[in-house]
Amino acid sequence: MLVERARAGDPRAVARLITLVESGDEALPQVAAALAPYAGQAQVVGLTGSPGVGKSTTTNELVRALRARGHRVGVLAIDPSSPFTGGAILGDRVRMQDHATDPGVYIRSMSSRGHLGGLSAATPQAVRVLEGAGCDVVLVETVGVGQAEVEVASLADTTLVLLAPGMGDAIQAVKAGILEIADVFVVNKADRDGVDATVRDIQGMIALGERGPGEWRPQVVRSIASRGEGIDDIAAAIDKHRDWLERNDELRRRQETRAAAEVEAIALGVLRARIGSLRDGTELSTLAARVAEGALDPYAAADELLAQLRS
């Protein structure tokens, strides 16, 4: 019933479904089954980058551009949560008030809840909810990330990496990590000093990469999101990448990779829950005691533990 209401455009139903996903409700398998026929119908665009580069402002302006095209848009904005209290300031809602009353836009702030990688553990299923709710495009904005948080690339069809002048010297541009996942580089705050050097460093890094014939070459776009400048260029780069994905059957491959990661995460979650139930009993403590006294090695103990899980 919630899925039917969400398909009809009821924002409360969408909110309720995402809450079920975040809380790991026991009804989640039934919800997932109802959403399954709508999988893969939305274009998923990830936006990531360091804190302060303008992700939320760029997301806000992209929503405006997509709505002008008549698209129904969903936004999942991930905010960091405190490792001490578990709380979070969901500031992205404040920055996106322009679209708060637009029935064609659904914005959901989600706390990372300590999950590493720039996303929340519930993000993949929340994307499925927005697909089921009829969104044509789903924008996933990560928390402010460092060089190693690249999880969004496994979730998005197209990944935007936002940068700003003053990111560092040219050495930063050739380091492994987040810069390797970009389908489109957005050099935001292009009215600042040093923008030409930043663009030049990124283009130099792209030139160093080895690509076969027909492989995608990341685009570099300048923008001043706070003024709405360059947003059409970003949208055009996303369109160009989408066309390339479809022509080369890469879109299906990415969707299958995303599905494999979801299935694996769910299976591992079930295993962790079952191991947790063993921890409350005597099986795991008995194995641990044997390992501690040298009567059993940890690999053999793990094999026994897995055998108990299968039984």
Side-chain angles (χ1 to χ4, degrees), residues 33-299:
L35 291 170
Y38 311 110
Q41 295 185 8
Q43 181 180 7
V44 183
V45 178
L47 297 93
T48 190
S50 302
V53 295
K55 294 186 298 297
S56 296
T57 306
T58 301
T59 300
N60 186 66
E61 294 303 317
L62 271 177
V63 171
R64 194 187 312 281
L66 292 167
R67 288 296 292 144
R69 297 181 178 187
H71 293 315
R72 191 173 181 185
V73 184
V75 178
L76 295 174
I78 317 302
D79 278 302
S81 55
S82 167
F84 304 104
T85 66
I89 297 177
L90 304 179
D92 295 290
R93 291 184 184 178
V94 177
R95 294 191 180 98
M96 299 183 197
Q97 284 300 305
D98 295 349
H99 310 290
T101 59
D102 187 343
V105 179
Y106 183 85
I107 300 172
R108 175 72 173 232
S109 293
M110 302 175 70
S111 169
S112 64
R113 300 189 181 186
H115 184 76
L116 301 178
L119 300 177
S120 160
T123 306
Q125 291 300 315
V127 168
R128 288 190 175 274
V129 170
L130 293 181
E131 285 183 319
C135 290
D136 302 301
V137 182
V138 177
L139 302 177
V140 181
E141 178 196 330
T142 72
V143 301
V145 298
Q147 289 177 323
E149 287 89 354
V150 298
E151 187 177 356
V152 69
S154 65
L155 178 67
D157 301 324
T158 300
T159 301
L160 309 185
V161 173
L162 275 70
L163 307 165
M167 58 172 281
D169 58 24
I171 299 300
Q172 297 293 334
V174 295
K175 284 185 177 180
I178 189 172
L179 296 183
E180 295 182 297
I181 68 172
D183 298 307
V184 178
F185 287 101
V186 178
V187 182
N188 192 34
K189 305 185 180 181
D191 53 341
R192 292 186 176 182
D193 293 338
V195 63
D196 291 335
T198 300
V199 171
R200 185 169 58 249
D201 291 343
I202 296 302
Q203 289 175 335
M205 183 206 70
I206 294 172
L208 291 174
E210 296 183 3
R211 292 177 185 81
E215 288 190 26
W216 175 254
R217 180 184 176 88
Q219 307 286 292
V220 183
V221 181
R222 303 183 190 210
S223 70
I224 309 175
S226 59
R227 301 180 192 167
E229 297 178 14
I231 302 302
D232 289 340
D233 294 334
I234 297 173
I238 293 171
D239 291 341
K240 186 176 181 180
H241 185 246
R242 177 76 176 194
D243 291 341
W244 178 85
L245 290 173
E246 292 176 343
R247 284 198 316 270
N248 293 274
D249 202 32
E250 181 70 11
L251 183 60
R252 178 177 292 276
R253 189 195 69 79
R254 292 195 180 197
Q255 289 174 340
E256 290 177 354
T257 300
R258 186 159 73 229
E262 279 187 75
V263 172
E264 182 181 17
I266 292 169
L268 288 174
V270 173
L271 284 175
R272 288 192 190 99
R274 294 189 63 184
I275 289 174
S277 66
L278 290 178
R279 187 184 294 273
D280 294 335
T282 59
E283 295 90 345
L284 185 56
S285 59
T286 300
L287 289 171
R290 293 173 63 192
V291 171
E293 66 188 16
L296 190 67
D297 69 85
Y299 288 93

